[in-house]
Structure formats: structure tokens, C-alpha cells
Amino acid sequence: MFVRTERLTLRRFTHGDAEAFAAYRSDPDVARYQSWDAPVPPDDAIRKVDEFATGDPEAPGWFQYAVDLDGVLIGDLGLNLDENLKQAELGFTLASEYQGQGYATEAVRGLLDHLFVERELHRVSAECDARNTASARLLERVGFQREGLRRSHTWFKGEWTDDLLFGLLRSDYLS
């Protein structure tokens, strides 16, 4: 399964992605607001990438899309499809050296086009640490509406953090 944008391909992970995956997920700046700790050991990266490679993007639960730029893995998008197959939660990660060039925005828009136009999902939601202003701006740039703030809600990496909640309806995205 592929989603193509002007510069990127969103594709299934392959075993050969493990080294690049470990490299960008081992960057402390990339991991700062994410659920894992850096560095990511090579064996863990291999296990994760092999697990991602067997996922089903049409089934409920998390599916991880590899973000590919001319054959180079530069990040990933996670999609948690609800049991009802009509709504999902979105997450994204991009290697530091590719940030600030519009790749994350392009990848997220490409996936949203696929989800809302081809698969006709009703809603996609996302949340981020309130300190992660770059992610919040990206979500707003692609059309998400800020729906809430959960103050001191998540115990994360040794501290309480605020969560920003975002949502995007198919009807709003397509209008």
C-alpha cells in the first residue's frame, strides 16, 4: 500500500529500514516529546521495523507508515484506526535533518487525503505535548482544530505535562 505525494512515498516498513529508523529515533531532539527514550538500540529497531512490516493498515489498531524520500527513510506516521473503522488517531516523527522543509506537512496531508477521500474516515484526532509548538503548528496548518488542553495530565519522562488535543472532520477537510 502506497500513498504518494509530490516528493514523498508513504509505504510499508521493510527490514532494511532498521538502521535509518534507529538513527533518527536515537536523536534526543526527535525523542523529546515521543513515547520512547533515545538511543534506540539496533536490535530494538530491527524488532520494531519487522513488527511494523507485518501490520495491516485496514485493521483496527496502530499501523506505522514509513515516510520515504527518494528511497531514504526520513520518518514515520502512526495511525491508530478505531474499531469502527471511521475514525483514527495520528502521530508523526521526522528525522531532524529533514525538519523545517515541509516534509512532515506534506506527509500528513498525503495521509489525510488518503484517509478522508479514499477511505472516507469521519474524523482524525491528534494530541501533543503543549511544549511541542512545532507539532501543534503543523496540525493547525493542515486543518486540525484545537479542541482542548488537558492540564498536567500526563506523567511523561519524569514530569507532569500538559496535552493539546486536536481534531479534524472529513467534512471540514473536504470543504
Side-chain angles (χ1 to χ4, degrees):
M1 197 225 99
F2 295 100
V3 174
R4 296 195 192 281
T5 68
E6 184 178 334
R7 302 177 292 175
L8 305 171
T9 302
L10 307 182
R11 60 167 174 77
R12 181 179 294 280
F13 270 88
T14 66
H15 185 79
D17 292 322
E19 185 176 341
F21 178 81
Y24 70 78
R25 285 205 169 196
S26 291
D27 181 337
D29 291 332
V30 171
R32 180 173 182 202
Y33 301 115
Q34 300 285 8
S35 61
W36 68 86
D37 292 317
V40 174
D43 288 347
D44 290 354
I46 290 168
R47 276 192 293 282
K48 269 313 222 191
V49 163
D50 288 347
E51 176 187 320
F52 294 159
T54 63
D56 181 354
E58 307 282 330
W62 283 101
F63 181 81
Q64 215 72 16
Y65 292 86
V67 179
D68 184 302
L69 173 66
D70 299 326
V72 176
L73 178 69
I74 66 167
D76 54 272
L77 301 180
L79 189 77
N80 186 11
L81 187 61
D82 191 82
E83 291 287 333
N84 66 21
L85 306 180
K86 288 295 184 185
Q87 58 194 32
E89 179 182 357
L90 172 71
F92 44 87
T93 304
L94 198 69
S96 289
E97 60 267 31
Y98 295 97
Q99 294 177 12
Q101 300 171 57
Y103 293 122
T105 300
E106 184 175 330
V108 169
R109 275 196 181 120
L111 185 56
L112 291 172
D113 286 345
H114 171 73
L115 296 172
F116 286 134
V117 175
E118 296 174 36
R119 292 178 56 185
E120 298 184 349
L121 263 66
H122 171 70
R123 174 185 167 81
V124 176
S125 61
E127 66 179 73
C128 67
D129 187 306
R131 299 169 297 176
N132 190 349
T133 56
S135 288
R137 282 193 314 268
L138 184 156
L139 291 166
E140 290 169 344
R141 191 166 41 252
V142 298
F144 280 82
Q145 299 295 310
R146 183 171 154 185
E147 297 179 335
L149 168 68
R150 293 187 299 207
R151 294 177 50 230
S152 196
H153 181 266
T154 302
W155 180 253
F156 184 72
K157 298 186 179 182
E159 64 182 319
W160 288 105
T161 63
D162 296 345
D163 299 334
L164 294 177
L165 308 176
F166 293 88
L168 180 57
L169 298 176
R170 179 176 190 261
S171 57
D172 292 338
Y173 188 76
L174 298 178
S175 63

